[in-house]
Amino acid sequence: MEDVITINGKKIYPGESAEVSMSNMSFPTRTEIEVPVFVYRSLHAGPRVLFQAGMHGEEVNGVEVVRSLMKREDIQNPRCGSIILIPIVNVVSFLMNARDLPDGRDLNRCFPGSKNGSMGSRLAYDLMKNVISQIDFGVDFHTGGAKINNYPQIRCVFEDERNIELSNAFSAPFVLNAPYREKSLRREAAKKGKHILVFEGGESQRFNSYSINEGLNGCLRMLNKLGMIDTPVEKCESIILRDTTWIRAKTSGMFRTSKKFGAFVEKDSMIGKIVSPFGEKETFLFTPSDGFLIGINNQPIVNEGDALMNIGVE
Ligand SMILES: [Zn+2]
């Protein structure tokens, strides 16, 4: 079989590099919707690895990770195989500084998509057809949602051995067993035998240097392990989490915690409090089990039931 990667009709052979847009849509003003894909191929056969970000338009940490990868010489000239980079999958939402598409759809619930569907469905279809079908595995970069800060973590399905190997190679501070979600990229890619790890780090609409660093180092560790680059990177020992549980607000008020993000917390320890702005009442929050503080709500004003802290259990 000919060793060629074809994106939107453009053929890219071993030893070549290219920038191609994977979409042919346009805005009502006729402006074309370009979704640039960057491909770097070695002359030597090897894995095809994708790093992509910006599935949700306001999750910028991953965009910075992929951008940082792109300008590196070792990435542009892999020793074997092919490296594919998509800094912003969802360019439309990125322009609007929004998570979802203009019609309210979440692009990560539009997979596998269809050729004649809604904008999200078409973007998903273009990604599946032009990229996912031609890779072996990849990492999809995300952040926490509105005001939720996630400690850098890889999410994958533990049942799949290859996922474990890849996440070991990446070595993020935490690795979580995360079941597939309906119509997500991860699920639809897995159906086609492609392994996609999800990296979560930081919060939306905000750069977080630690998360960006961990994301970048993880990609380099993974590529080192695969023999695609030869770059020394600091080691990191992942903590494996089998389960996670959210501590929710029992009452409305202002939320405060002094716990260190990422720290181990013991069962039944006081982890924060919700105070009434009028001073008469303080409600204390306790941990339901031993675990690590891997997600935190940075919004001070909370309503009853809001997710406040995510505890990861080993
Ligand atoms: Zn996301």
Side-chain angles (χ1 to χ4, degrees):
M1 209 177 71
E2 195 183 30
D3 183 6
V4 61
I5 292 177
T6 309
I7 297 176
N8 216 351
K10 161 107 178 148
K11 289 183 187 295
I12 309 147
Y13 292 95
E16 292 182 349
S17 61
E19 178 191 336
V20 198
S21 173
M22 68 170 190
S23 161
N24 294 313
M25 278 188 288
S26 53
F27 287 111
T29 49
R30 283 200 227 152
T31 312
E32 281 177 32
I33 300 179
E34 266 193 66
V35 184
V37 181
F38 299 81
V39 183
Y40 306 102
R41 303 202 65 191
S42 166
L43 277 170
H44 306 284
R48 293 175 176 184
V49 187
L50 165 71
F51 298 109
Q52 69 164 47
M55 173 87 84
H56 297 127
E58 25 106 270
E59 299 183 358
V60 289
N61 286 330
V63 179
E64 178 59 10
V65 170
V66 179
R67 186 199 71 84
S68 304
L69 284 171
M70 188 186 305
K71 60 177 193 161
R72 295 176 60 101
E73 210 159 295
D74 51 357
I75 298 295
Q76 292 173 11
N77 301 286
R79 290 153 62 98
C80 69
S82 306
I83 298 172
I84 300 166
L85 305 178
I86 312 178
I88 310 168
V89 172
N90 185 351
V91 294
V92 182
S93 300
F94 181 82
L95 274 177
M96 303 187 307
N97 197 19
R99 174 188 169 85
D100 295 326
L101 290 157
D103 65 359
R105 281 189 170 85
D106 174 349
L107 177 55
N108 206 16
R109 297 291 176 273
C110 292
F111 286 86
S114 76
K115 202 176 172 179
N116 301 311
S118 66
M119 182 184 267
S121 196
R122 286 173 197 227
L123 282 170
Y125 176 85
D126 287 338
L127 181 64
M128 291 299 286
K129 177 171 174 265
N130 288 307
V131 181
I132 303 301
S133 64
Q134 303 183 81
I135 60 159
D136 296 307
F137 40 79
V139 183
D140 184 20
F141 285 88
H142 289 259
T143 73
K147 307 296 184 292
I148 299 284
N149 190 4
N150 281 330
Y151 204 84
Q153 53 192 258
I154 283 284
R155 296 180 178 182
C156 63
V157 169
F158 283 3
E159 275 163 35
D160 188 311
E161 258 176 52
R162 190 74 175 125
N163 283 348
I164 300 283
E165 276 172 40
L166 291 170
S167 63
N168 281 343
F170 194 101
S171 292
F174 292 102
V175 183
L176 266 74
N177 186 26
Y180 292 123
R181 292 205 179 156
E182 282 296 324
K183 297 186 138 194
S184 67
L185 166 67
R186 202 157 59 96
R187 185 192 181 107
E188 294 305 319
K191 283 185 188 168
K192 304 218 173 297
K194 318 289 181 175
H195 306 264
I196 304 285
L197 305 180
V198 164
F199 176 91
E200 287 270 348
E203 66 182 293
S204 60
Q205 299 194 356
R206 226 172 281 277
F207 277 137
N208 177 290
S209 301
Y210 178 59
S211 296
I212 292 168
N213 248 343
E214 284 304 314
L216 180 61
N217 284 342
C219 297
L220 299 178
R221 281 186 211 109
M222 192 182 210
L223 294 170
N224 265 328
K225 184 87 177 182
L226 294 162
M228 296 174 73
I229 61 170
D230 186 14
T231 308
V233 195
E234 231 177 282
K235 275 193 185 147
C236 175
E237 207 62 58
S238 298
I239 295 170
I240 313 292
L241 303 173
R242 305 254 151 218
D243 204 9
T244 61
T245 175
W246 277 99
I247 299 176
R248 290 184 177 274
K250 284 186 198 141
T251 177
S252 301
M254 299 193 299
F255 166 58
R256 305 207 62 186
T257 178
S258 56
K259 286 286 170 194
K260 194 167 171 266
F261 198 29
F264 179 78
V265 284
E266 273 178 24
K267 187 175 192 277
D268 297 328
S269 56
M270 209 271 282
I271 197 174
K273 61 183 176 182
I274 297 171
V275 298
S276 161
F278 306 115
E280 85 277 19
K281 201 177 148 203
E282 293 191 337
T283 307
F284 294 94
L285 301 160
F286 297 90
T287 39
S289 61
D290 284 357
F292 293 88
L293 183 51
I294 58 161
I296 194 157
N297 181 345
N298 280 337
Q299 175 147 289
I301 304 161
V302 298
N303 285 304
E304 237 173 283
D306 281 355
L308 301 182
M309 282 178 280
N310 198 9
I311 306 292
V313 182
E314 263 182 295

